[in-house]
Amino acid sequence: MKMQQHLADKNIALDLVRVTEAAALAAARYFGRGDKEAADEAAVEAMRIAFQGIHIRGTVVIGEGEKDHAPMLYNGEKVGFGDGPEMDVAVDPVDGTTAVAFGYNNSLAVVGLAQKGCMFNPGPSYYCKKLVVGKDAAGVIDIDAPIKDNLIKVAKAKGKPVSELKVFVLLKPRHEKLIRDIRMAGARVITHRDGDIAGAILAADPRSSVDMLVGTGGTPEAVLSCCAIKGSGAQMLTRLDPQSEEERKAIIDAGIDIDAVRGVSDIITTDQCFFAATGITEGELLNGVRYKGDFGVTHSLTVRGRTGTIRYIQAWHDRRKLSKMSSIDY
């Protein structure tokens, strides 16, 4: 029985990337065209179809897009071939629809899986505060501490001066003071319009030049990020941060503790978890979809939580053959 389970784990980790590849190829057709909804709709449809070949009994716990009134894989939808292990599923067919539509960096197609009942469901929460660092600084961060204090502790843990720290922050009006405070503390700020899943993975990866991610971003994206870094020893601390009174009331009405600090192990409570991402537009984490004649070239990563193994996969897709085999126009 254990051997069968291990084989199933391996197959899920390796096969899941096909789902994100399909979504990325479909969304990339709308790169730079100024139509966020069309890019998202194409990715959602491609992802739904690709899920049919994955041997899981999946239930969508987190379907991204609702806050933007975009088409989505809805919460409660059943995905997968209908056999294999029961899994909670979090999807973000396009993390960064604006990036795709207007030609910015760091847009990804993303999927996370966890054993049934082991994935935090944020319900009506769209936004949360986040603080992400790699394994070497996982034990020193405090989401309630001033940013300067966290920077000093992280720098010490990493054996470098604060002046050499690079901090990933989304370029949003809500972060103007945070960015000033980071710079006043002496650290460097890397800003992006979108892409805090990519930012979280970069902050957790010891090979990356990013030392930390901080700020308020999407709650669904936080869950997906935890799937990605679960096996790495990195840490993400979060607290729900509603951006409207309507969102705050909905969270309270849903019975969710709005003030709780949740780490990776609170958000994903099992090591039976998996993550896959494929680049749609160019980024520091993954290359975007590129075209070589009849081929679409994708760059992806897949992660297995139990082992922490990360695989980077480049694939060449014959778009004419794929379009003949599927209802999707690649």
Coordinates of all heavy atoms in Angstrom, one line a residue, residues 12-13 16 31 37 53 77 95 118 127 150 184 193 196 205 207 215-216 229 231 241 248 256 284 292 298 311 313 317:
I12 N 1.6 12.4 -9.6 CA 1.0 13.7 -9.5 C 2.0 14.8 -9.7 O 1.7 15.8 -10.4 CB 0.3 13.8 -8.1 CG1 -0.9 12.8 -8.0 CG2 -0.3 15.2 -7.9 CD1 -1.4 12.7 -6.6
A13 N 3.1 14.7 -9.0 CA 4.1 15.7 -9.1 C 4.6 16.0 -10.5 O 4.8 17.1 -10.9 CB 5.3 15.4 -8.2
L16 N 1.3 17.1 -13.1 CA 0.6 18.3 -12.8 C 1.0 19.4 -13.7 O 0.2 20.3 -14.0 CB 0.7 18.7 -11.3 CG -0.2 19.8 -10.8 CD1 -1.7 19.4 -10.9 CD2 0.2 20.1 -9.4
F31 N -1.1 37.8 -25.1 CA 0.0 38.7 -24.6 C 0.0 40.0 -25.4 O 0.0 40.1 -26.6 CB 1.4 38.0 -24.8 CG 2.5 38.9 -24.4 CD1 2.9 39.0 -23.1 CD2 3.2 39.6 -25.4 CE1 4.0 39.8 -22.8 CE2 4.3 40.3 -25.1 CZ 4.7 40.5 -23.7
E37 N -9.7 39.7 -19.6 CA -10.7 38.7 -19.5 C -10.5 37.5 -20.5 O -10.7 36.4 -20.2 CB -12.1 39.3 -19.7 CG -12.6 40.1 -18.5 CD -11.8 41.5 -18.4 OE1 -11.3 41.9 -19.4 OE2 -11.8 42.1 -17.3
G53 N -6.9 14.6 -17.5 CA -5.9 13.6 -17.6 C -5.1 13.3 -16.3 O -4.2 12.5 -16.3
E77 N -15.9 22.8 -7.5 CA -15.9 22.0 -8.8 C -15.0 20.8 -8.6 O -13.9 20.8 -8.0 CB -15.4 22.9 -9.9 CG -15.4 22.2 -11.3 CD -15.0 23.1 -12.4 OE1 -14.9 24.3 -12.2 OE2 -14.9 22.6 -13.6
D95 N -1.9 34.0 -12.9 CA -1.5 34.9 -11.8 C -0.8 36.1 -12.4 O 0.4 36.1 -12.8 CB -0.5 34.2 -10.8 CG 0.0 35.2 -9.7 OD1 -0.8 36.0 -9.3 OD2 1.2 35.0 -9.4
C118 N -6.5 19.2 4.0 CA -5.3 19.7 4.6 C -4.9 21.1 4.0 O -3.8 21.6 4.3 CB -4.2 18.7 4.3 SG -4.4 17.2 5.2
Y127 N -7.3 39.3 0.5 CA -6.0 39.9 0.7 C -5.4 39.5 2.1 O -6.2 39.4 3.1 CB -6.1 41.4 0.6 CG -6.4 41.9 -0.7 CD1 -7.7 42.2 -1.1 CD2 -5.4 42.1 -1.7 CE1 -8.0 42.6 -2.4 CE2 -5.7 42.5 -3.0 CZ -7.0 42.8 -3.3 OH -7.3 43.3 -4.6
N150 N 12.9 43.3 11.4 CA 12.9 42.0 10.6 C 14.1 42.1 9.6 O 14.8 41.0 9.4 CB 11.6 41.9 9.8 CG 10.5 41.2 10.6 OD1 10.7 40.2 11.2 ND2 9.4 41.9 10.7
M184 N 14.8 53.3 4.0 CA 15.3 54.1 5.1 C 16.1 53.1 6.0 O 17.1 53.6 6.7 CB 14.2 54.8 5.9 CG 13.6 56.0 5.2 SD 12.3 56.8 6.2 CE 13.3 57.3 7.6
R193 N 4.7 45.0 -10.6 CA 3.2 45.3 -10.6 C 2.4 44.1 -10.1 O 1.4 44.2 -9.5 CB 2.8 45.7 -12.0 CG 3.3 47.1 -12.4 CD 2.8 47.4 -13.8 NE 3.3 48.7 -14.3 CZ 4.4 48.9 -14.9 NH1 5.2 47.9 -15.2 NH2 4.7 50.2 -15.3
D196 N 3.2 38.0 -6.9 CA 3.7 37.7 -5.6 C 3.9 36.2 -5.3 O 4.5 35.8 -4.4 CB 3.0 38.4 -4.5 CG 1.5 38.1 -4.4 OD1 1.0 37.5 -5.3 OD2 0.9 38.4 -3.3
D205 N 13.9 30.6 -2.2 CA 15.0 29.9 -2.9 C 16.4 30.4 -2.6 O 16.7 31.5 -2.9 CB 14.7 30.0 -4.4 CG 15.6 29.1 -5.3 OD1 16.6 28.6 -4.8 OD2 15.2 28.8 -6.5
R207 N 19.0 30.0 -4.1 CA 19.8 30.3 -5.3 C 19.4 31.7 -5.8 O 20.1 32.3 -6.6 CB 19.6 29.3 -6.4 CG 20.0 27.9 -6.0 CD 19.5 26.9 -7.0 NE 18.0 26.9 -6.9 CZ 17.3 26.1 -7.8 NH1 17.8 25.4 -8.7 NH2 15.9 26.2 -7.6
G215 N 4.6 42.5 2.4 CA 3.5 43.4 1.9 C 2.2 42.6 1.9 O 2.1 41.5 2.3
T216 N 1.2 43.3 1.4 CA -0.1 42.7 1.3 C -0.4 42.3 -0.2 O -0.2 43.1 -1.1 CB -1.2 43.8 1.7 OG1 -1.1 44.0 3.1 CG2 -2.6 43.3 1.4
I229 N 6.5 26.1 -1.3 CA 7.6 26.2 -0.4 C 7.5 25.2 0.8 O 8.4 25.2 1.6 CB 7.9 27.6 0.1 CG1 6.8 28.1 1.0 CG2 8.0 28.6 -1.1 CD1 7.0 29.5 1.6
G231 N 8.0 22.1 1.3 CA 9.1 21.1 1.6 C 10.5 21.7 1.7 O 11.5 21.0 1.9
D241 N -5.8 40.5 5.7 CA -5.8 42.0 5.6 C -6.8 42.5 4.7 O -6.5 43.0 3.6 CB -4.4 42.4 5.2 CG -4.2 43.9 5.3 OD1 -4.9 44.6 6.0 OD2 -3.2 44.4 4.6
R248 N -14.0 42.5 5.2 CA -13.9 42.3 6.6 C -15.1 41.6 7.2 O -15.0 40.6 7.9 CB -13.6 43.6 7.3 CG -13.5 43.4 8.9 CD -13.2 44.7 9.5 NE -11.9 45.2 9.1 CZ -10.7 44.8 9.7 NH1 -10.7 44.0 10.7 NH2 -9.6 45.3 9.3
I256 N -14.1 32.9 10.3 CA -12.6 32.8 10.1 C -11.9 33.8 11.0 O -12.3 35.0 11.1 CB -12.2 33.0 8.7 CG1 -12.9 32.0 7.8 CG2 -10.7 33.0 8.5 CD1 -12.7 32.3 6.3
E284 N 11.8 36.6 -13.5 CA 13.0 36.1 -12.8 C 12.9 34.7 -12.5 O 13.9 34.0 -12.4 CB 13.3 37.0 -11.5 CG 13.7 38.4 -11.8 CD 12.5 39.3 -12.0 OE1 11.4 38.9 -12.1 OE2 12.8 40.5 -12.0
K292 N 8.7 29.2 -31.5 CA 9.8 28.9 -32.5 C 9.1 28.1 -33.6 O 8.8 26.9 -33.5 CB 10.8 28.0 -31.8 CG 11.5 28.6 -30.6 CD 12.5 29.7 -30.9 CE 13.2 30.2 -29.7 NZ 14.1 31.3 -29.9
T298 N 7.7 26.2 -23.4 CA 7.3 26.6 -22.1 C 8.5 26.2 -21.1 O 9.2 25.3 -21.3 CB 6.1 25.9 -21.6 OG1 6.2 24.4 -21.7 CG2 4.9 26.3 -22.5
R311 N 11.7 20.4 -9.7 CA 12.1 20.1 -11.1 C 11.8 21.3 -12.0 O 10.7 21.8 -12.0 CB 11.4 18.8 -11.6 CG 11.9 17.5 -10.9 CD 11.1 16.3 -11.5 NE 11.7 15.1 -11.0 CZ 11.3 14.5 -9.9 NH1 10.4 15.0 -9.2 NH2 11.9 13.3 -9.6
I313 N 11.4 22.3 -15.9 CA 11.1 21.5 -17.1 C 10.9 22.5 -18.3 O 10.1 23.4 -18.2 CB 9.8 20.7 -16.9 CG1 9.9 19.8 -15.8 CG2 9.4 20.0 -18.2 CD1 8.6 19.1 -15.3
H317 N 6.2 22.3 -27.5 CA 4.9 21.8 -27.9 C 4.5 22.1 -29.3 O 4.6 23.3 -29.8 CB 3.8 22.5 -27.0 CG 4.1 22.5 -25.5 ND1 3.7 21.5 -24.7 CD2 4.9 23.3 -24.7 CE1 4.1 21.7 -23.5 NE2 4.8 22.8 -23.5

